[in-house]
Amino acid sequence: MKLWQLPPNKRKGKRIVGVVSDLHIPYSAKNYLKFLETEFEKRGVTDIVIIGDMIDFNTVSRHGLDPNNSNSALTEYDKTMAEVKKVYEMFPYAYYTMGNHDRRLMSVANKSGIPSRFVRTFQDLFEIPKTWKVGDSFIIDGVKYLHGDSFSGTNGHRVAPLTTFMSTVFGHAHSNAGITYINTGDRKVFGMNVGSLINEKAVAFNYGKYNKFKSVISCGVVYNKYHAEIIPKL
C-alpha cells in the first residue's frame, strides 16, 4: 500500500504533497495513473491534491456540442465513471479543488434558468468518495492550492503568489506549466502551474489545434512552502 493510500491518522513523518494536474476524463493522457503512481512513490508522496477538472463534460457545455464528438452525453458520462473509479482506487484520500469544467453542468442549468436544487451536485453525479475533501481551495502547510481560473497566461504562476501572499499551486492553463520563486527579503514564496494530463489529440481539445503552445503533460510535488517540483511525462 502506498503512503497516500493510508488513512491520514496512520501516516507518519514529513508531509509531501503530490499534485494531480487537470485530467479531463475521458480525454486523458495514456497511462497517466501509472505515471502518477511511479513518480509519487519515488518521491515519498504522502498526501494528494487533485487540482480540478478531473472530468471534462465536453458534451455538456454552454459553448454547445462539438459536432466532431461521437459521444453522446450519456456515453461520455459512462466512460467518465468507468475511469474515475480507477482514480478513486488509486487515491482513496484526496483534496479536490473545484475547476471550471466541474461546474459546467451547473453553468448550463443556470443559463437555462434551472434552479440549482433541480440539478445533481458534482459530488453526487460522479460519486466522489466521502474520504475526499472538496472545496474551492485549501491551505496545506502554508501552501495554497486552487484550480487557478484567475491565473491564466504565461506569467500566471508568478502572479498567483503575489496575489495570495503565499506559495500557491494551481492548474487550469495547460500550456503554461512552470515554477517561479520570489524572494522579497522578508518573504520567500513560489508559484507553480502543474500543467495537465490530457490527450491533446482528443476531440475535446480541437479548440487548441492551432495554438502556438501545446499542453505540458506533467504533475507536481510540493515538499514544503519553499520547494516544489514539476515532473514532465516523457
PDB file of all heavy atoms in Angstrom, residues 26-64:
ATOM      1  N   PRO A  26     -13.104  11.804 -19.996  1.00  0.00           N
ATOM      2  CA  PRO A  26     -12.374  10.638 -20.507  1.00  0.00           C
ATOM      3  C   PRO A  26     -11.381  10.960 -21.617  1.00  0.00           C
ATOM      4  O   PRO A  26     -11.127  10.110 -22.484  1.00  0.00           O
ATOM      5  CB  PRO A  26     -13.512   9.768 -21.040  1.00  0.00           C
ATOM      6  CG  PRO A  26     -14.478  10.767 -21.623  1.00  0.00           C
ATOM      7  CD  PRO A  26     -14.413  11.957 -20.687  1.00  0.00           C
ATOM      8  N   TYR A  27     -10.806  12.154 -21.606  1.00  0.00           N
ATOM      9  CA  TYR A  27      -9.886  12.575 -22.662  1.00  0.00           C
ATOM     10  C   TYR A  27      -8.481  12.766 -22.087  1.00  0.00           C
ATOM     11  O   TYR A  27      -7.814  13.760 -22.377  1.00  0.00           O
ATOM     12  CB  TYR A  27     -10.403  13.867 -23.310  1.00  0.00           C
ATOM     13  CG  TYR A  27     -11.857  13.788 -23.722  1.00  0.00           C
ATOM     14  CD1 TYR A  27     -12.849  14.413 -22.973  1.00  0.00           C
ATOM     15  CD2 TYR A  27     -12.242  13.061 -24.849  1.00  0.00           C
ATOM     16  CE1 TYR A  27     -14.189  14.326 -23.337  1.00  0.00           C
ATOM     17  CE2 TYR A  27     -13.576  12.976 -25.224  1.00  0.00           C
ATOM     18  CZ  TYR A  27     -14.545  13.604 -24.467  1.00  0.00           C
ATOM     19  OH  TYR A  27     -15.873  13.502 -24.829  1.00  0.00           O
ATOM     20  N   SER A  28      -8.038  11.805 -21.285  1.00  0.00           N
ATOM     21  CA  SER A  28      -6.785  11.925 -20.539  1.00  0.00           C
ATOM     22  C   SER A  28      -5.605  11.317 -21.286  1.00  0.00           C
ATOM     23  O   SER A  28      -5.775  10.519 -22.210  1.00  0.00           O
ATOM     24  CB  SER A  28      -6.926  11.237 -19.176  1.00  0.00           C
ATOM     25  OG  SER A  28      -8.079  11.677 -18.504  1.00  0.00           O
ATOM     26  N   ALA A  29      -4.401  11.676 -20.829  1.00  0.00           N
ATOM     27  CA  ALA A  29      -3.171  11.123 -21.395  1.00  0.00           C
ATOM     28  C   ALA A  29      -3.096   9.616 -21.144  1.00  0.00           C
ATOM     29  O   ALA A  29      -3.572   9.114 -20.126  1.00  0.00           O
ATOM     30  CB  ALA A  29      -1.959  11.814 -20.777  1.00  0.00           C
ATOM     31  N   LYS A  30      -2.478   8.916 -22.058  1.00  0.00           N
ATOM     32  CA  LYS A  30      -2.327   7.469 -21.941  1.00  0.00           C
ATOM     33  C   LYS A  30      -1.473   7.121 -20.714  1.00  0.00           C
ATOM     34  O   LYS A  30      -0.459   7.776 -20.439  1.00  0.00           O
ATOM     35  CB  LYS A  30      -1.664   6.923 -23.204  1.00  0.00           C
ATOM     36  CG  LYS A  30      -1.568   5.417 -23.258  1.00  0.00           C
ATOM     37  CD  LYS A  30      -0.953   4.953 -24.572  1.00  0.00           C
ATOM     38  CE  LYS A  30      -0.852   3.438 -24.634  1.00  0.00           C
ATOM     39  NZ  LYS A  30      -0.248   2.973 -25.913  1.00  0.00           N
ATOM     40  N   ASN A  31      -1.901   6.124 -19.961  1.00  0.00           N
ATOM     41  CA  ASN A  31      -1.146   5.596 -18.813  1.00  0.00           C
ATOM     42  C   ASN A  31      -0.856   6.645 -17.744  1.00  0.00           C
ATOM     43  O   ASN A  31       0.163   6.583 -17.060  1.00  0.00           O
ATOM     44  CB  ASN A  31       0.169   4.960 -19.276  1.00  0.00           C
ATOM     45  CG  ASN A  31      -0.041   3.775 -20.200  1.00  0.00           C
ATOM     46  OD1 ASN A  31      -0.989   3.009 -20.033  1.00  0.00           O
ATOM     47  ND2 ASN A  31       0.825   3.625 -21.192  1.00  0.00           N
ATOM     48  N   TYR A  32      -1.747   7.610 -17.594  1.00  0.00           N
ATOM     49  CA  TYR A  32      -1.495   8.679 -16.628  1.00  0.00           C
ATOM     50  C   TYR A  32      -1.458   8.166 -15.186  1.00  0.00           C
ATOM     51  O   TYR A  32      -0.687   8.679 -14.366  1.00  0.00           O
ATOM     52  CB  TYR A  32      -2.540   9.798 -16.757  1.00  0.00           C
ATOM     53  CG  TYR A  32      -3.936   9.407 -16.333  1.00  0.00           C
ATOM     54  CD1 TYR A  32      -4.349   9.580 -15.020  1.00  0.00           C
ATOM     55  CD2 TYR A  32      -4.845   8.869 -17.242  1.00  0.00           C
ATOM     56  CE1 TYR A  32      -5.631   9.211 -14.627  1.00  0.00           C
ATOM     57  CE2 TYR A  32      -6.107   8.506 -16.856  1.00  0.00           C
ATOM     58  CZ  TYR A  32      -6.502   8.674 -15.549  1.00  0.00           C
ATOM     59  OH  TYR A  32      -7.767   8.307 -15.150  1.00  0.00           O
ATOM     60  N   LEU A  33      -2.264   7.153 -14.861  1.00  0.00           N
ATOM     61  CA  LEU A  33      -2.270   6.661 -13.481  1.00  0.00           C
ATOM     62  C   LEU A  33      -0.952   5.971 -13.134  1.00  0.00           C
ATOM     63  O   LEU A  33      -0.441   6.135 -12.018  1.00  0.00           O
ATOM     64  CB  LEU A  33      -3.439   5.695 -13.265  1.00  0.00           C
ATOM     65  CG  LEU A  33      -4.780   6.331 -12.906  1.00  0.00           C
ATOM     66  CD1 LEU A  33      -5.852   5.254 -12.759  1.00  0.00           C
ATOM     67  CD2 LEU A  33      -4.681   7.152 -11.623  1.00  0.00           C
ATOM     68  N   LYS A  34      -0.401   5.214 -14.066  1.00  0.00           N
ATOM     69  CA  LYS A  34       0.894   4.569 -13.825  1.00  0.00           C
ATOM     70  C   LYS A  34       1.981   5.612 -13.653  1.00  0.00           C
ATOM     71  O   LYS A  34       2.870   5.477 -12.796  1.00  0.00           O
ATOM     72  CB  LYS A  34       1.228   3.628 -14.989  1.00  0.00           C
ATOM     73  CG  LYS A  34       2.514   2.836 -14.784  1.00  0.00           C
ATOM     74  CD  LYS A  34       2.414   1.947 -13.548  1.00  0.00           C
ATOM     75  CE  LYS A  34       3.675   1.135 -13.337  1.00  0.00           C
ATOM     76  NZ  LYS A  34       3.608   0.335 -12.083  1.00  0.00           N
ATOM     77  N   PHE A  35       1.930   6.655 -14.469  1.00  0.00           N
ATOM     78  CA  PHE A  35       2.877   7.762 -14.354  1.00  0.00           C
ATOM     79  C   PHE A  35       2.804   8.396 -12.968  1.00  0.00           C
ATOM     80  O   PHE A  35       3.833   8.597 -12.302  1.00  0.00           O
ATOM     81  CB  PHE A  35       2.579   8.802 -15.437  1.00  0.00           C
ATOM     82  CG  PHE A  35       3.228  10.136 -15.243  1.00  0.00           C
ATOM     83  CD1 PHE A  35       4.593  10.290 -15.355  1.00  0.00           C
ATOM     84  CD2 PHE A  35       2.456  11.256 -14.941  1.00  0.00           C
ATOM     85  CE1 PHE A  35       5.204  11.527 -15.184  1.00  0.00           C
ATOM     86  CE2 PHE A  35       3.040  12.495 -14.772  1.00  0.00           C
ATOM     87  CZ  PHE A  35       4.419  12.633 -14.888  1.00  0.00           C
ATOM     88  N   LEU A  36       1.606   8.701 -12.513  1.00  0.00           N
ATOM     89  CA  LEU A  36       1.437   9.321 -11.199  1.00  0.00           C
ATOM     90  C   LEU A  36       1.913   8.393 -10.085  1.00  0.00           C
ATOM     91  O   LEU A  36       2.624   8.824  -9.166  1.00  0.00           O
ATOM     92  CB  LEU A  36      -0.030   9.690 -10.977  1.00  0.00           C
ATOM     93  CG  LEU A  36      -0.575  10.828 -11.846  1.00  0.00           C
ATOM     94  CD1 LEU A  36      -2.100  10.891 -11.736  1.00  0.00           C
ATOM     95  CD2 LEU A  36       0.041  12.163 -11.462  1.00  0.00           C
ATOM     96  N   GLU A  37       1.525   7.143 -10.176  1.00  0.00           N
ATOM     97  CA  GLU A  37       1.921   6.181  -9.139  1.00  0.00           C
ATOM     98  C   GLU A  37       3.441   6.079  -9.046  1.00  0.00           C
ATOM     99  O   GLU A  37       4.017   6.131  -7.952  1.00  0.00           O
ATOM    100  CB  GLU A  37       1.329   4.808  -9.461  1.00  0.00           C
ATOM    101  CG  GLU A  37       1.705   3.732  -8.452  1.00  0.00           C
ATOM    102  CD  GLU A  37       1.184   2.366  -8.852  1.00  0.00           C
ATOM    103  OE1 GLU A  37       0.960   2.129 -10.057  1.00  0.00           O
ATOM    104  OE2 GLU A  37       0.994   1.520  -7.955  1.00  0.00           O
ATOM    105  N   THR A  38       4.111   5.956 -10.183  1.00  0.00           N
ATOM    106  CA  THR A  38       5.565   5.797 -10.212  1.00  0.00           C
ATOM    107  C   THR A  38       6.277   7.016  -9.646  1.00  0.00           C
ATOM    108  O   THR A  38       7.165   6.907  -8.790  1.00  0.00           O
ATOM    109  CB  THR A  38       6.042   5.535 -11.651  1.00  0.00           C
ATOM    110  OG1 THR A  38       5.445   4.327 -12.134  1.00  0.00           O
ATOM    111  CG2 THR A  38       7.552   5.411 -11.710  1.00  0.00           C
ATOM    112  N   GLU A  39       5.890   8.198 -10.129  1.00  0.00           N
ATOM    113  CA  GLU A  39       6.586   9.422  -9.729  1.00  0.00           C
ATOM    114  C   GLU A  39       6.287   9.804  -8.280  1.00  0.00           C
ATOM    115  O   GLU A  39       7.173  10.273  -7.562  1.00  0.00           O
ATOM    116  CB  GLU A  39       6.227  10.564 -10.681  1.00  0.00           C
ATOM    117  CG  GLU A  39       6.588  10.298 -12.131  1.00  0.00           C
ATOM    118  CD  GLU A  39       8.069  10.025 -12.348  1.00  0.00           C
ATOM    119  OE1 GLU A  39       8.901  10.471 -11.530  1.00  0.00           O
ATOM    120  OE2 GLU A  39       8.395   9.348 -13.347  1.00  0.00           O
ATOM    121  N   PHE A  40       5.063   9.604  -7.839  1.00  0.00           N
ATOM    122  CA  PHE A  40       4.716   9.943  -6.461  1.00  0.00           C
ATOM    123  C   PHE A  40       5.376   8.997  -5.470  1.00  0.00           C
ATOM    124  O   PHE A  40       5.875   9.417  -4.418  1.00  0.00           O
ATOM    125  CB  PHE A  40       3.195   9.922  -6.269  1.00  0.00           C
ATOM    126  CG  PHE A  40       2.463  11.083  -6.896  1.00  0.00           C
ATOM    127  CD1 PHE A  40       1.073  11.111  -6.936  1.00  0.00           C
ATOM    128  CD2 PHE A  40       3.149  12.145  -7.466  1.00  0.00           C
ATOM    129  CE1 PHE A  40       0.388  12.187  -7.500  1.00  0.00           C
ATOM    130  CE2 PHE A  40       2.475  13.220  -8.040  1.00  0.00           C
ATOM    131  CZ  PHE A  40       1.095  13.227  -8.060  1.00  0.00           C
ATOM    132  N   GLU A  41       5.409   7.723  -5.809  1.00  0.00           N
ATOM    133  CA  GLU A  41       6.036   6.754  -4.901  1.00  0.00           C
ATOM    134  C   GLU A  41       7.542   7.010  -4.812  1.00  0.00           C
ATOM    135  O   GLU A  41       8.143   6.926  -3.742  1.00  0.00           O
ATOM    136  CB  GLU A  41       5.763   5.332  -5.377  1.00  0.00           C
ATOM    137  CG  GLU A  41       6.208   4.265  -4.390  1.00  0.00           C
ATOM    138  CD  GLU A  41       5.738   2.881  -4.760  1.00  0.00           C
ATOM    139  OE1 GLU A  41       5.422   2.645  -5.946  1.00  0.00           O
ATOM    140  OE2 GLU A  41       5.690   2.023  -3.864  1.00  0.00           O
ATOM    141  N   LYS A  42       8.153   7.346  -5.933  1.00  0.00           N
ATOM    142  CA  LYS A  42       9.593   7.625  -5.981  1.00  0.00           C
ATOM    143  C   LYS A  42       9.967   8.788  -5.068  1.00  0.00           C
ATOM    144  O   LYS A  42      11.053   8.811  -4.488  1.00  0.00           O
ATOM    145  CB  LYS A  42       9.985   7.948  -7.426  1.00  0.00           C
ATOM    146  CG  LYS A  42      11.468   8.086  -7.690  1.00  0.00           C
ATOM    147  CD  LYS A  42      11.725   8.550  -9.117  1.00  0.00           C
ATOM    148  CE  LYS A  42      11.124   7.613 -10.147  1.00  0.00           C
ATOM    149  NZ  LYS A  42      11.436   8.029 -11.537  1.00  0.00           N
ATOM    150  N   ARG A  43       9.054   9.749  -4.905  1.00  0.00           N
ATOM    151  CA  ARG A  43       9.337  10.956  -4.138  1.00  0.00           C
ATOM    152  C   ARG A  43       8.745  10.935  -2.725  1.00  0.00           C
ATOM    153  O   ARG A  43       8.781  11.930  -2.024  1.00  0.00           O
ATOM    154  CB  ARG A  43       8.845  12.176  -4.921  1.00  0.00           C
ATOM    155  CG  ARG A  43       9.696  12.440  -6.156  1.00  0.00           C
ATOM    156  CD  ARG A  43       9.006  13.333  -7.157  1.00  0.00           C
ATOM    157  NE  ARG A  43       9.888  13.667  -8.269  1.00  0.00           N
ATOM    158  CZ  ARG A  43      10.138  12.846  -9.301  1.00  0.00           C
ATOM    159  NH1 ARG A  43       9.557  11.656  -9.339  1.00  0.00           N
ATOM    160  NH2 ARG A  43      10.958  13.216 -10.265  1.00  0.00           N
ATOM    161  N   GLY A  44       8.182   9.817  -2.335  1.00  0.00           N
ATOM    162  CA  GLY A  44       7.672   9.679  -0.972  1.00  0.00           C
ATOM    163  C   GLY A  44       6.433  10.487  -0.678  1.00  0.00           C
ATOM    164  O   GLY A  44       6.206  10.926   0.458  1.00  0.00           O
ATOM    165  N   VAL A  45       5.581  10.671  -1.694  1.00  0.00           N
ATOM    166  CA  VAL A  45       4.348  11.456  -1.522  1.00  0.00           C
ATOM    167  C   VAL A  45       3.446  10.809  -0.468  1.00  0.00           C
ATOM    168  O   VAL A  45       3.239   9.595  -0.472  1.00  0.00           O
ATOM    169  CB  VAL A  45       3.607  11.596  -2.865  1.00  0.00           C
ATOM    170  CG1 VAL A  45       2.162  12.040  -2.671  1.00  0.00           C
ATOM    171  CG2 VAL A  45       4.347  12.574  -3.768  1.00  0.00           C
ATOM    172  N   THR A  46       2.919  11.650   0.423  1.00  0.00           N
ATOM    173  CA  THR A  46       2.028  11.175   1.489  1.00  0.00           C
ATOM    174  C   THR A  46       0.590  11.647   1.307  1.00  0.00           C
ATOM    175  O   THR A  46      -0.346  10.989   1.772  1.00  0.00           O
ATOM    176  CB  THR A  46       2.516  11.671   2.859  1.00  0.00           C
ATOM    177  OG1 THR A  46       2.519  13.121   2.862  1.00  0.00           O
ATOM    178  CG2 THR A  46       3.920  11.171   3.161  1.00  0.00           C
ATOM    179  N   ASP A  47       0.412  12.799   0.661  1.00  0.00           N
ATOM    180  CA  ASP A  47      -0.916  13.411   0.521  1.00  0.00           C
ATOM    181  C   ASP A  47      -1.155  13.777  -0.938  1.00  0.00           C
ATOM    182  O   ASP A  47      -0.207  14.091  -1.668  1.00  0.00           O
ATOM    183  CB  ASP A  47      -1.026  14.662   1.388  1.00  0.00           C
ATOM    184  CG  ASP A  47      -1.041  14.334   2.873  1.00  0.00           C
ATOM    185  OD1 ASP A  47       0.011  13.927   3.404  1.00  0.00           O
ATOM    186  OD2 ASP A  47      -2.093  14.470   3.496  1.00  0.00           O
ATOM    187  N   ILE A  48      -2.417  13.766  -1.325  1.00  0.00           N
ATOM    188  CA  ILE A  48      -2.780  14.021  -2.720  1.00  0.00           C
ATOM    189  C   ILE A  48      -3.708  15.225  -2.821  1.00  0.00           C
ATOM    190  O   ILE A  48      -4.687  15.334  -2.086  1.00  0.00           O
ATOM    191  CB  ILE A  48      -3.493  12.797  -3.335  1.00  0.00           C
ATOM    192  CG1 ILE A  48      -2.596  11.563  -3.302  1.00  0.00           C
ATOM    193  CG2 ILE A  48      -3.963  13.105  -4.758  1.00  0.00           C
ATOM    194  CD1 ILE A  48      -1.338  11.655  -4.128  1.00  0.00           C
ATOM    195  N   VAL A  49      -3.378  16.123  -3.760  1.00  0.00           N
ATOM    196  CA  VAL A  49      -4.288  17.198  -4.156  1.00  0.00           C
ATOM    197  C   VAL A  49      -4.601  17.017  -5.633  1.00  0.00           C
ATOM    198  O   VAL A  49      -3.693  16.939  -6.463  1.00  0.00           O
ATOM    199  CB  VAL A  49      -3.678  18.591  -3.929  1.00  0.00           C
ATOM    200  CG1 VAL A  49      -4.575  19.669  -4.553  1.00  0.00           C
ATOM    201  CG2 VAL A  49      -3.485  18.873  -2.449  1.00  0.00           C
ATOM    202  N   ILE A  50      -5.879  16.909  -5.952  1.00  0.00           N
ATOM    203  CA  ILE A  50      -6.326  16.882  -7.348  1.00  0.00           C
ATOM    204  C   ILE A  50      -6.800  18.291  -7.665  1.00  0.00           C
ATOM    205  O   ILE A  50      -7.737  18.797  -7.049  1.00  0.00           O
ATOM    206  CB  ILE A  50      -7.420  15.822  -7.559  1.00  0.00           C
ATOM    207  CG1 ILE A  50      -6.841  14.440  -7.217  1.00  0.00           C
ATOM    208  CG2 ILE A  50      -7.946  15.872  -8.988  1.00  0.00           C
ATOM    209  CD1 ILE A  50      -7.819  13.305  -7.304  1.00  0.00           C
ATOM    210  N   ILE A  51      -6.131  18.921  -8.612  1.00  0.00           N
ATOM    211  CA  ILE A  51      -6.226  20.373  -8.756  1.00  0.00           C
ATOM    212  C   ILE A  51      -7.444  20.836  -9.555  1.00  0.00           C
ATOM    213  O   ILE A  51      -7.577  22.008  -9.903  1.00  0.00           O
ATOM    214  CB  ILE A  51      -4.904  20.918  -9.349  1.00  0.00           C
ATOM    215  CG1 ILE A  51      -4.597  22.335  -8.831  1.00  0.00           C
ATOM    216  CG2 ILE A  51      -4.929  20.838 -10.875  1.00  0.00           C
ATOM    217  CD1 ILE A  51      -4.240  22.409  -7.377  1.00  0.00           C
ATOM    218  N   GLY A  52      -8.388  19.927  -9.818  1.00  0.00           N
ATOM    219  CA  GLY A  52      -9.623  20.299 -10.501  1.00  0.00           C
ATOM    220  C   GLY A  52      -9.673  19.830 -11.938  1.00  0.00           C
ATOM    221  O   GLY A  52      -8.689  19.359 -12.507  1.00  0.00           O
ATOM    222  N   ASP A  53     -10.843  19.951 -12.553  1.00  0.00           N
ATOM    223  CA  ASP A  53     -11.077  19.486 -13.927  1.00  0.00           C
ATOM    224  C   ASP A  53     -10.665  18.026 -14.100  1.00  0.00           C
ATOM    225  O   ASP A  53     -10.048  17.657 -15.107  1.00  0.00           O
ATOM    226  CB  ASP A  53     -10.351  20.377 -14.942  1.00  0.00           C
ATOM    227  CG  ASP A  53     -11.051  21.710 -15.157  1.00  0.00           C
ATOM    228  OD1 ASP A  53     -12.090  21.948 -14.500  1.00  0.00           O
ATOM    229  OD2 ASP A  53     -10.568  22.512 -15.970  1.00  0.00           O
ATOM    230  N   MET A  54     -11.038  17.208 -13.132  1.00  0.00           N
ATOM    231  CA  MET A  54     -10.821  15.775 -13.270  1.00  0.00           C
ATOM    232  C   MET A  54     -11.648  15.231 -14.426  1.00  0.00           C
ATOM    233  O   MET A  54     -11.248  14.300 -15.117  1.00  0.00           O
ATOM    234  CB  MET A  54     -11.189  15.048 -11.973  1.00  0.00           C
ATOM    235  CG  MET A  54     -11.058  13.528 -12.037  1.00  0.00           C
ATOM    236  SD  MET A  54     -11.364  12.706 -10.461  1.00  0.00           S
ATOM    237  CE  MET A  54     -13.144  13.014 -10.249  1.00  0.00           C
ATOM    238  N   ILE A  55     -12.816  15.838 -14.640  1.00  0.00           N
ATOM    239  CA  ILE A  55     -13.689  15.424 -15.735  1.00  0.00           C
ATOM    240  C   ILE A  55     -13.804  16.578 -16.741  1.00  0.00           C
ATOM    241  O   ILE A  55     -13.531  17.725 -16.406  1.00  0.00           O
ATOM    242  CB  ILE A  55     -15.077  14.996 -15.220  1.00  0.00           C
ATOM    243  CG1 ILE A  55     -15.713  16.079 -14.345  1.00  0.00           C
ATOM    244  CG2 ILE A  55     -14.956  13.716 -14.411  1.00  0.00           C
ATOM    245  CD1 ILE A  55     -16.541  17.054 -15.089  1.00  0.00           C
ATOM    246  N   ASP A  56     -14.204  16.250 -17.963  1.00  0.00           N
ATOM    247  CA  ASP A  56     -14.232  17.284 -18.997  1.00  0.00           C
ATOM    248  C   ASP A  56     -15.618  17.864 -19.242  1.00  0.00           C
ATOM    249  O   ASP A  56     -15.768  19.070 -19.401  1.00  0.00           O
ATOM    250  CB  ASP A  56     -13.673  16.742 -20.307  1.00  0.00           C
ATOM    251  CG  ASP A  56     -13.485  17.838 -21.333  1.00  0.00           C
ATOM    252  OD1 ASP A  56     -12.408  18.458 -21.337  1.00  0.00           O
ATOM    253  OD2 ASP A  56     -14.421  18.098 -22.111  1.00  0.00           O
ATOM    254  N   PHE A  57     -16.656  17.013 -19.321  1.00  0.00           N
ATOM    255  CA  PHE A  57     -18.006  17.491 -19.629  1.00  0.00           C
ATOM    256  C   PHE A  57     -18.076  18.124 -21.012  1.00  0.00           C
ATOM    257  O   PHE A  57     -18.777  19.107 -21.232  1.00  0.00           O
ATOM    258  CB  PHE A  57     -18.459  18.532 -18.600  1.00  0.00           C
ATOM    259  CG  PHE A  57     -19.353  17.992 -17.518  1.00  0.00           C
ATOM    260  CD1 PHE A  57     -19.284  18.515 -16.228  1.00  0.00           C
ATOM    261  CD2 PHE A  57     -20.275  16.998 -17.750  1.00  0.00           C
ATOM    262  CE1 PHE A  57     -20.109  18.049 -15.210  1.00  0.00           C
ATOM    263  CE2 PHE A  57     -21.103  16.521 -16.739  1.00  0.00           C
ATOM    264  CZ  PHE A  57     -21.019  17.048 -15.470  1.00  0.00           C
ATOM    265  N   ASN A  58     -17.347  17.563 -21.982  1.00  0.00           N
ATOM    266  CA  ASN A  58     -17.327  18.149 -23.316  1.00  0.00           C
ATOM    267  C   ASN A  58     -18.708  18.196 -23.952  1.00  0.00           C
ATOM    268  O   ASN A  58     -19.040  19.131 -24.698  1.00  0.00           O
ATOM    269  CB  ASN A  58     -16.370  17.368 -24.223  1.00  0.00           C
ATOM    270  CG  ASN A  58     -16.257  17.956 -25.617  1.00  0.00           C
ATOM    271  OD1 ASN A  58     -16.819  17.441 -26.570  1.00  0.00           O
ATOM    272  ND2 ASN A  58     -15.539  19.056 -25.726  1.00  0.00           N
ATOM    273  N   THR A  59     -19.538  17.183 -23.655  1.00  0.00           N
ATOM    274  CA  THR A  59     -20.867  17.120 -24.270  1.00  0.00           C
ATOM    275  C   THR A  59     -21.917  17.923 -23.504  1.00  0.00           C
ATOM    276  O   THR A  59     -23.068  18.010 -23.939  1.00  0.00           O
ATOM    277  CB  THR A  59     -21.346  15.657 -24.369  1.00  0.00           C
ATOM    278  OG1 THR A  59     -21.336  15.070 -23.064  1.00  0.00           O
ATOM    279  CG2 THR A  59     -20.445  14.853 -25.290  1.00  0.00           C
ATOM    280  N   VAL A  60     -21.531  18.492 -22.379  1.00  0.00           N
ATOM    281  CA  VAL A  60     -22.445  19.328 -21.598  1.00  0.00           C
ATOM    282  C   VAL A  60     -21.751  20.662 -21.366  1.00  0.00           C
ATOM    283  O   VAL A  60     -21.036  20.849 -20.385  1.00  0.00           O
ATOM    284  CB  VAL A  60     -22.806  18.685 -20.244  1.00  0.00           C
ATOM    285  CG1 VAL A  60     -23.821  19.547 -19.495  1.00  0.00           C
ATOM    286  CG2 VAL A  60     -23.355  17.281 -20.444  1.00  0.00           C
ATOM    287  N   SER A  61     -21.934  21.580 -22.283  1.00  0.00           N
ATOM    288  CA  SER A  61     -21.204  22.840 -22.226  1.00  0.00           C
ATOM    289  C   SER A  61     -22.071  23.989 -22.711  1.00  0.00           C
ATOM    290  O   SER A  61     -22.881  23.832 -23.619  1.00  0.00           O
ATOM    291  CB  SER A  61     -19.945  22.747 -23.093  1.00  0.00           C
ATOM    292  OG  SER A  61     -19.334  24.003 -23.247  1.00  0.00           O
ATOM    293  N   ARG A  62     -21.870  25.138 -22.123  1.00  0.00           N
ATOM    294  CA  ARG A  62     -22.593  26.329 -22.566  1.00  0.00           C
ATOM    295  C   ARG A  62     -22.114  26.778 -23.950  1.00  0.00           C
ATOM    296  O   ARG A  62     -22.733  27.626 -24.599  1.00  0.00           O
ATOM    297  CB  ARG A  62     -22.430  27.465 -21.556  1.00  0.00           C
ATOM    298  CG  ARG A  62     -20.993  27.895 -21.309  1.00  0.00           C
ATOM    299  CD  ARG A  62     -20.905  28.913 -20.168  1.00  0.00           C
ATOM    300  NE  ARG A  62     -19.534  29.229 -19.795  1.00  0.00           N
ATOM    301  CZ  ARG A  62     -18.789  30.133 -20.420  1.00  0.00           C
ATOM    302  NH1 ARG A  62     -19.299  30.814 -21.435  1.00  0.00           N
ATOM    303  NH2 ARG A  62     -17.559  30.374 -20.029  1.00  0.00           N
ATOM    304  N   HIS A  63     -20.999  26.215 -24.414  1.00  0.00           N
ATOM    305  CA  HIS A  63     -20.484  26.550 -25.742  1.00  0.00           C
ATOM    306  C   HIS A  63     -21.140  25.717 -26.836  1.00  0.00           C
ATOM    307  O   HIS A  63     -20.904  25.953 -28.023  1.00  0.00           O
ATOM    308  CB  HIS A  63     -18.965  26.323 -25.793  1.00  0.00           C
ATOM    309  CG  HIS A  63     -18.206  27.120 -24.784  1.00  0.00           C
ATOM    310  ND1 HIS A  63     -18.209  28.505 -24.771  1.00  0.00           N
ATOM    311  CD2 HIS A  63     -17.440  26.736 -23.734  1.00  0.00           C
ATOM    312  CE1 HIS A  63     -17.464  28.932 -23.765  1.00  0.00           C
ATOM    313  NE2 HIS A  63     -16.996  27.885 -23.124  1.00  0.00           N
ATOM    314  N   GLY A  64     -21.963  24.738 -26.432  1.00  0.00           N
ATOM    315  CA  GLY A  64     -22.613  23.881 -27.407  1.00  0.00           C
ATOM    316  C   GLY A  64     -21.815  22.618 -27.678  1.00  0.00           C
ATOM    317  O   GLY A  64     -20.627  22.540 -27.384  1.00  0.00           O
TER     318      GLY A  64
END
